[in-house]
Amino acid sequence: MRSSLVFSDATSRSLHEVLQASPFVERAAFLLCTEVRTDRSCKLIVKQVVPVRPGDYLRQHAAGMSLASAAYTSVAKIARDTGSSIIFVHSHPSGALYFSDQDDREEPKLIEFFKARVPGRTHGALVVCDGCVVGRIYTPEAADLDVIAEWGAHWKVHAGASVGKQDVFDRSIRAIGRDGQALLRQLVIGVVGAGGTGSAIAQMLARLGVGTLRLFDEDKLEDSNVPRVLGAAMSQVGQAKVRVLEEHLRSIGLGTIVEAVEGSICRQDVAAMLRDCDVIFSCVDKEMPRSILMAHHRHYLTPVIDLGVKIEASQQSIKEVWGRITTMTPGSPCLFCRGRISAEGLRLEAMRLDERSAQIRQGYAPELDEPAPAVVAYTSAVASMAAAEFLARLFLPGARKSLGDESLMRLDLGTVRSNSGTMRANCICANDESFAAGDISPHLGLSWG
Ligand SMILES: [Zn+2]
Ligand SMILES: [Zn+2]
């Protein structure tokens, strides 16, 4: 079972503040987490950091500490009331990079205690030392966490298990390092939409050496798609787009596991399959799937990189070409805040064709759009920029500091600018209840058709 622990940068910051308050002796805290279980993964999303109260430290030095039992009973009570998993965290100021022998002896007793007080939840432990973090959960045997991720303006991702030699990636390793390459191998990345941008992103992620790609699209390949869908051939017209892409990615032979999901994420069962993903690329051209991905991001904190391409043309002549990459990560404004999608747009999109025709006649809806112009050079360019954004978030945190979460490109002019956007106070993304809520019923709190 694959396991991951997910922080927002706010919860990560508050944990580090607690642990660094006395940097020369061990300190401890508890994480209360929302648990998300699928048939193949267990994801714990940190909701709250509970520091150990000063009076509950019985003994504290550089390589050891003991806590009063009240520390454990009080956190177990909160976890039980909120249905949370508990992760016990302590620091190793001595610099020891892994759990000590004493940790190995004491921890199972603590986990048994948590399991008795908060049954049906997965509990675990984390050790933090200078710039390094390792963790394990009990399911029920102890197993190291595969991925520990902090999502926010900066992404910090620690991958537990190491991977074998990856000489084929020698040229990438020279840029992102062996650890970086190994990290890519540990990631599960969702690509929603297997058209022009989606096929290009998926191909780049496979060539980067990403471990698992999960592709979502309900459409069949049409002949008018072939000029933009990378890896597609005219002989495949009529096949499911995700199957065409899956076949192409497998043929690359770089070891990426490809999972094709032939279905729309506007269906509840398909949307639920996004839950295993660490990062999601949104390569769709409609507002409804974008709004579902935003809701998914809020509930599971999974970063979503949304791509848009727009060619302004009239009378078969290009006027302007726009590319957009918007990264949704904890603390960033959503697509509603940014005006990229709207309630009105969703309303029009949800209308049946006959309803919409009636509304057009009555003047309540704009004319139906012709198929939008689309050109492979522009879809692929935006996909490349999105892949570069993903690499920058993971491996160049310093470079992201001054930039916002959205890049706008004028592909006809060759210019790029970034913006931070503004979070609107009354927006759906300001609703704290859905933040890190995980699985709720109905899924994502939405009404599904
Ligand atoms: Zn320890
Ligand atoms: Zn918003």
Side-chain angles (χ1 to χ4, degrees), residues 294 332-338 422-424 427-430:
M294 282 182 352
S332 69
C334 77
L335 296 175
F336 283 114
C337 288
R338 292 177 172 279
T422 313
M423 272 177 123
R424 289 202 320 245
C427 183
I428 196 165
C429 68

Side-chain angles (χ1 to χ4, degrees), residues 31-320:
L31 307 176
L32 295 176
C33 307
T34 306
E35 178 173 354
V36 176
R37 277 274 188 147
T38 70
D39 53 1
R40 64 178 82 184
S41 70
C42 172
K43 183 182 284 189
L44 299 180
I45 309 167
V46 179
K47 278 205 83 156
Q48 193 190 340
V49 179
V50 180
V52 169
R53 293 166 298 204
D56 284 340
Y57 286 100
L58 300 178
R59 193 172 58 84
Q60 230 182 335
H61 52 86
M65 67 175 174
S66 58
L67 302 180
S69 60
Y72 306 113
T73 48
S74 67
V75 77
K77 183 176 180 331
I78 311 173
R80 195 187 175 105
D81 292 347
T82 54
S84 305
S85 296
I86 308 170
I87 299 284
F88 173 64
V89 192
H90 71 284
S91 60
H92 274 181
S94 61
L97 294 177
Y98 197 68
F99 293 94
S100 68
D101 292 344
Q102 192 200 350
D103 296 334
D104 288 344
R105 278 194 307 276
E106 299 297 328
E107 195 179 283
K109 293 180 231 165
L110 177 62
I111 298 295
E112 281 309 312
F113 173 79
F114 287 152
K115 272 189 353 202
R117 294 293 176 106
V118 195
R121 288 281 174 246
T122 301
H123 307 294
L126 207 65
V127 161
V128 179
C129 72
D130 199 23
C132 150
V133 53
V134 290
R136 56 193 178 194
I137 56 171
Y138 289 71
T139 60
E141 315 79 36
D144 284 354
L145 284 161
D146 294 304
V147 169
I148 301 171
E150 172 191 330
W151 307 123
H154 313 299
W155 293 359
K156 276 187 217 138
V157 190
H158 303 265
S162 63
V163 290
K165 280 184 82 154
Q166 301 200 88
D167 289 347
V168 66
F169 294 109
D170 172 65
R171 299 288 287 269
S172 301
I173 288 169
R174 286 168 194 275
I176 63 173
R178 258 178 215 293
D179 290 347
Q181 194 64 49
L183 168 61
L184 291 176
R185 202 39 119 200
Q186 297 292 331
L187 294 180
V188 178
I189 297 190
V191 177
V192 181
T197 49
S199 64
I201 268 290
Q203 184 178 142
M204 275 181 278
L205 294 173
R207 291 186 194 279
L208 281 168
V210 164
T212 303
L213 287 177
R214 186 171 283 189
L215 316 170
F216 298 81
D217 201 312
E218 63 173 340
D219 291 338
K220 304 272 192 255
L221 186 72
E222 294 177 16
D223 52 7
S224 65
N225 300 140
V226 178
R228 287 177 314 286
V229 175
L230 300 195
M234 284 301 281
S235 61
Q236 293 169 304
V237 168
Q239 295 178 26
K241 277 182 178 171
V242 282
R243 300 285 164 212
V244 170
L245 187 52
E246 176 187 28
E247 192 180 321
H248 176 63
L249 299 178
R250 290 228 173 101
S251 74
I252 294 173
L254 285 171
T256 299
I257 297 167
V258 185
E259 300 167 346
V261 181
E262 196 180 340
S264 164
I265 63 153
C266 297
R267 264 174 41 201
Q268 182 171 357
D269 58 330
V270 178
M273 297 176 79
L274 293 163
R275 296 180 302 153
D276 296 314
C277 299
D278 298 308
V279 177
I280 299 170
F281 284 88
S282 158
C283 307
V284 295
D285 55 6
K286 294 223 159 52
E287 299 201 5
M288 184 56 79
R290 284 194 166 99
S291 74
I292 288 169
L293 288 170
M294 282 182 352
H296 183 88
H297 165 64
R298 280 198 312 279
H299 285 76
Y300 299 96
L301 304 192
T302 310
V304 175
I305 301 180
D306 182 54
L307 287 71
V309 186
K310 191 171 186 195
I311 301 178
E312 308 270 9
S314 71
Q315 290 159 350
Q316 302 189 357
S317 152
I318 289 177
K319 303 296 174 207
E320 292 180 359

